[in-house]
DNA sequence: ATGCCTCCTATCGGCTGTCTATAGGGATAG
DNA sequence: CTATCCCTATAGACAGCCGATAGGAGGCAT
């Protein structure tokens, strides 16, 4: 339906994952689907990008994980935002604001 | 004066360089200064990022270069947008629009 | 002329983080 | 029992930014 999908900019994946977890705990593929949804299909996060990121963020302490069962009755690892993760989301959101503001400035320049 | 300077997102450097050349040909350090200017000091492009990028873009045919003298009477390599570079600037601008739109969507999500 | 500072270009090694491709196990359907 | 999802996972490759470093050449003071 939306054939235009852009590859991620380095550094935006964490932001999108953190944001997608605000609405509640989710398992890996669920996060992937949610990212695709909230970005209007622009970003598609494939397993090879997703899992390394999740593990990294787990080690950073931004998310915590536990095994459970998916809605399709399969073993799935669920992830949840930690307090530190919520804080990190704010940091990255501010970072993004700075960046997008700066580039907008540049593109408006004479 | 502006202590907040963000490191570049991969993929945005080309856009900023192309854009800074719209206002006329410039030498390397001039481009660096101009990028800093049009982004309100948010992005600072250092030599280790700048010159590899310029050489890459030269090979791609987006910019052309020639030696000349700087305003301070030093040898400087000047860069100029090519036709292909102008087109590439449009491509990257559209790409950026898609990306920033998508992330804005994500951040507004409930 | 010597030495120092600024301007300008340039390269190298390292690192982060994404992508492609591949794998495998457990549930479910035919 | 076989195929097919669903879900997690890893390995290898690679692009591209960063810090550090180098060096030539002009200007200026001593």
């Amino acid at each position: 339906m939306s054939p235009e999908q852009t590859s991620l900019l380095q550094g935006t994946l964490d932001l999108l994952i953190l944001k997608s977890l605000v609405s509640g705990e989710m398992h890996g593929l669920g996060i992937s689907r949610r990212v695709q949804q909230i970005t209007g299909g622009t970003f598609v996060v494939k397993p090879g990008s997703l899992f390394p990121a999740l593990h990294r963020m787990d080690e950073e302490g931004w998310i915590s994980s536990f095994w459970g069962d998916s809605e399709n009755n399969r073993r799935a690892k669920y992830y949840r935002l930690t307090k530190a993760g919520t804080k990190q989301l704010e940091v990255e959101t501010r970072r993004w604001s700075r960046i997008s503001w700066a580039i907008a400035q540049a593109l408006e320049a004479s």
Side-chain angles (χ1 to χ4, degrees), chain A:
Chain A
M1 198 57 89
S2 84
E4 299 244 49
Q5 83 199 30
T6 312
S7 83
L8 285 160
L9 279 192
Q10 259 189 213
T12 54
L13 180 55
D14 290 7
L15 173 61
L16 292 172
I17 291 177
L18 290 170
K19 177 65 187 181
S20 71
L21 284 175
V22 168
S23 56
E25 61 198 25
M26 237 176 278
H27 58 76
L29 281 192
I31 294 172
S32 173
R33 285 191 285 261
R34 178 132 181 90
V35 166
Q36 186 166 357
Q37 176 208 335
I38 65 180
T39 61
T42 304
F43 293 126
V44 176
V45 183
K46 294 177 188 140
S49 308
L50 178 68
F51 290 103
L54 287 175
H55 297 159
R56 194 178 61 237
M57 296 168 72
D58 199 352
E59 282 188 1
E60 300 274 4
W62 300 338
I63 57 181
S64 62
S65 63
F66 58 96
W67 286 97
D69 287 325
S70 79
E71 57 276 19
N72 293 335
N73 203 29
R74 281 177 173 82
R75 270 178 79 67
K77 198 188 265 180
Y78 281 82
Y79 297 90
R80 171 161 44 205
L81 262 188
T82 63
K83 216 168 186 174
T86 304
K87 185 154 185 176
Q88 180 65 16
L89 174 56
E90 287 171 19
V91 169
E92 303 225 8
T93 301
R94 276 196 296 273
R95 170 181 138 91
W96 177 257
S97 296
R98 264 206 312 279
I99 289 173
S100 62
W101 174 84
I103 301 213
Q105 289 293 308
L107 294 182
E108 285 168 14
S110 57

